[in-house]
Amino acid sequence: MDELQEKGSPKSVILKELKNRLQKDLTYNSGKNLGSMCAYPHPFAKQIYAEFIEKNLGDPGLFPATAEFEKEVVQMIGSLLSHPEAVGHIVSGGTEANILAMWAARNQGNKERHEIVAPESVHLSIEKSADLLNLRLIKVKLDDSFRMNLEEAKRKISAKTCAIIGVAGTTGLGVVDPIAELSEVAVSNNIPLHVDAAFGGFVLTFLKELGFNVPDFDFQLQGVSSITVDPHKMGLAPIPAGGIVFRNPTTMKAVAKRVTYLAGGETDQTTLLGTRPGASCIAVWALLKHLGRDGYRSRVKRCMDLTIELADEIEKIEGIGLVARPTLNMAGIESREVKVEALAGELRKRGWAIALFPGYIRIVVMPHTRFGHIEDFVKDLKNTVKKLRGR
Ligand SMILES: Cc1ncc(COP(=O)(O)O)c(C=O)c1O
């Protein structure tokens, strides 16, 4: 048990303790972290974040310049998603972004509309949203390619539906739901379609520009009303930096609350949080300006090239296989011969941080992942599978 001491300790003593104790945390450059969707932040973003740490986006009257940067970040992200006029916010992460989207959709619809329709692969944050907002989450089964089953989705949509949710880069496999078809359904039923591109938002457009065959998922599709896209995942921004962008200001304003007590004067707040870290947003702004499309595209290419190499190697290992060929920089490993839980356990014993999903192990290849890390992982994977198969 720790307690607050009467007298403070010198900085050097505290720093020493911090450095010592934090050694337990896995570092990104160890290459052992193949299970997280968060990126090691770009050094420039880290520098900017530290420099403007005191900014509070919750009081835009006091920090008008910071609020302008938020608008510009949203416009830049909007332009990446085919709608530079987008409005929205830099928030704490994909969870908050999804909650905001569901909150706006619920408030915009009439009182009879209290159901949301989402694929079984939807992120947990949509379940949290349903719980918090008193919405009924109706899950739709997946098809053979792990995408939301369109016909079943159509059957489950009704006059009670206030939002359809499609995922552009599922948490487990990085799969993209049939967003174009869902958009048509959304338009013809006059229901907003929310796209959760928390991970895929900073990948898919660049993959398309690189010539990969990726489906449409953004505001080009008329039914898409809002998109979650997280700078602290493939955007390389420091945590916390999630993003929510809306096609129309009226959707976002459906959650507006008047705040009267702020030092900078009254404002309409359209976020869940009050006080918000302006430094996160300024760091994202700086990073988008610094890297440009070209900077992101080259990083996405590296990640995807490495993912394809990893996928090819996995397919060569007897006893395991890929759940599906990767769409994004993620790969799922399954097996009919060994238990994936046992495989994950053995790999973790060897220091690998990997994510376990029902029936498969997920590997995420992030910009901090190097070729050597993948080589080492494949070696350990081969040996572990061999050991578990008993040969
Ligand atoms: C598709 C998707 N949406 C939302 C989230 C939640 O993001 P966060 O952990 O930043 O709240 C995740 C996280 O993995 C995700 O994969």
Side-chain angles (χ1 to χ4, degrees):
M1 278 263 280
D2 212 348
E3 58 181 33
L4 186 61
Q5 292 163 3
E6 181 56 32
K7 284 215 178 312
S9 310
K11 289 181 204 162
S12 58
V13 173
I14 295 169
L15 257 175
K16 199 169 160 206
E17 179 174 349
L18 282 173
K19 285 199 170 149
N20 259 335
R21 290 180 49 192
L22 287 169
Q23 276 178 8
K24 250 201 297 189
D25 293 358
L26 196 61
T27 60
Y28 287 93
N29 63 16
S30 69
K32 291 281 190 179
N33 183 354
L34 294 177
S36 166
M37 285 179 152
C38 286
Y40 183 74
H42 190 287
F44 184 51
K46 270 174 76 173
Q47 178 199 333
I48 299 289
Y49 188 99
E51 196 161 334
F52 301 107
I53 197 79
E54 79 284 4
K55 308 292 186 188
N56 174 15
L57 268 174
D59 194 342
L62 201 55
F63 298 97
T66 308
E68 272 170 32
F69 281 121
E70 186 180 45
K71 271 205 185 96
E72 289 176 25
V73 167
V74 168
Q75 286 163 1
M76 283 191 272
I77 293 178
S79 74
L80 177 68
L81 302 173
S82 313
H83 187 50
E85 298 82 19
V87 294
H89 293 290
I90 294 303
V91 294
S92 61
T95 298
E96 191 189 339
N98 281 340
I99 293 172
L100 267 174
M102 293 303 101
W103 188 15
R106 187 200 68 174
N107 284 11
Q108 223 188 2
N110 64 37
K111 292 251 177 314
E112 279 69 56
R113 292 185 183 267
H114 55 82
E115 290 181 354
I116 52 179
V117 175
E120 279 181 343
S121 53
V122 81
H123 186 261
L124 178 69
S125 50
I126 294 294
E127 284 182 27
K128 290 183 185 172
S129 309
D131 203 353
L132 285 166
L133 296 164
N134 213 9
L135 295 169
R136 183 163 168 244
L137 169 58
I138 300 186
K139 286 199 181 173
V140 177
K141 289 207 169 43
L142 305 184
D143 63 18
D144 292 346
S145 29
F146 309 97
R147 303 178 340 144
M148 188 185 201
N149 184 310
L150 192 63
E151 291 315 310
E152 190 182 323
K154 283 184 193 163
R155 283 197 299 277
K156 291 197 163 161
I157 289 164
S158 74
K160 293 184 201 157
T161 312
C162 71
I164 307 169
I165 299 110
V167 190
T170 56
T171 311
L173 294 170
V175 163
V176 181
D177 282 322
I179 308 291
E181 292 82 350
L182 288 171
S183 165
E184 280 174 22
V185 175
V187 170
S188 59
N189 289 276
N190 198 20
I191 299 169
L193 170 62
H194 172 65
V195 175
D196 183 357
F199 188 80
F202 270 100
V203 184
L204 287 162
T205 306
F206 300 118
L207 281 180
K208 193 173 227 175
E209 289 170 359
L210 288 162
F212 284 81
N213 183 18
V214 290
D216 291 340
F217 74 101
D218 67 12
F219 288 116
Q220 274 175 65
L221 305 167
Q222 284 314 303
V224 175
S225 165
S226 52
I227 304 181
T228 288
V229 46
D230 286 354
H232 72 196
K233 295 190 170 72
M234 282 298 285
L236 303 182
I239 299 167
I244 177 68
V245 281
F246 295 97
R247 180 188 292 277
N248 294 314
T250 42
T251 314
M252 181 172 83
K253 285 181 186 156
V255 301
K257 299 280 175 236
R258 191 84 186 144
V259 190
T260 55
Y261 60 79
L262 297 169
E266 292 191 16
T267 188
D268 279 333
Q269 222 164 54
T270 47
T271 51
L272 195 56
L273 304 189
T275 303
R276 295 190 293 130
S280 289
C281 182
I282 296 170
V284 175
W285 185 92
L287 202 50
L288 293 174
K289 289 282 180 197
H290 178 58
L291 291 179
R293 292 181 94 100
D294 175 55
Y296 280 107
R297 201 183 301 118
S298 60
R299 282 163 178 82
V300 164
K301 179 169 173 6
R302 251 200 81 251
C303 290
M304 206 57 207
D305 287 349
L306 270 186
T307 308
I308 291 166
E309 284 192 41
L310 170 67
D312 292 346
E313 289 300 321
I314 292 169
E315 283 188 325
K316 285 186 213 154
I317 302 175
E318 244 179 88
I320 58 167
L322 288 171
V323 182
R325 284 300 297 181
T327 310
L328 299 180
N329 42 325
M330 289 159 65
I333 304 172
E334 64 178 3
S335 177
R336 289 209 185 99
E337 289 191 37
V338 300
K339 285 212 159 38
V340 282
E341 293 78 8
L343 182 56
E346 287 291 326
L347 289 167
R348 283 174 177 158
K349 271 192 218 153
R350 291 172 191 235
W352 296 104
I354 35 105
L356 185 62
F357 283 72
Y360 63 95
I361 291 168
R362 180 196 71 181
I363 305 297
V364 191
V365 180
M366 294 298 288
H368 50 257
T369 311
R370 306 272 158 248
F371 179 68
H373 303 145
I374 295 294
E375 252 185 346
D376 291 346
F377 176 71
V378 169
K379 226 183 275 165
D380 273 355
L381 182 63
K382 257 186 213 159
N383 290 335
T384 310
V385 172
K386 206 165 160 188
K387 179 178 155 194
L388 289 173
R389 293 172 81 214
R391 14 197 132 153

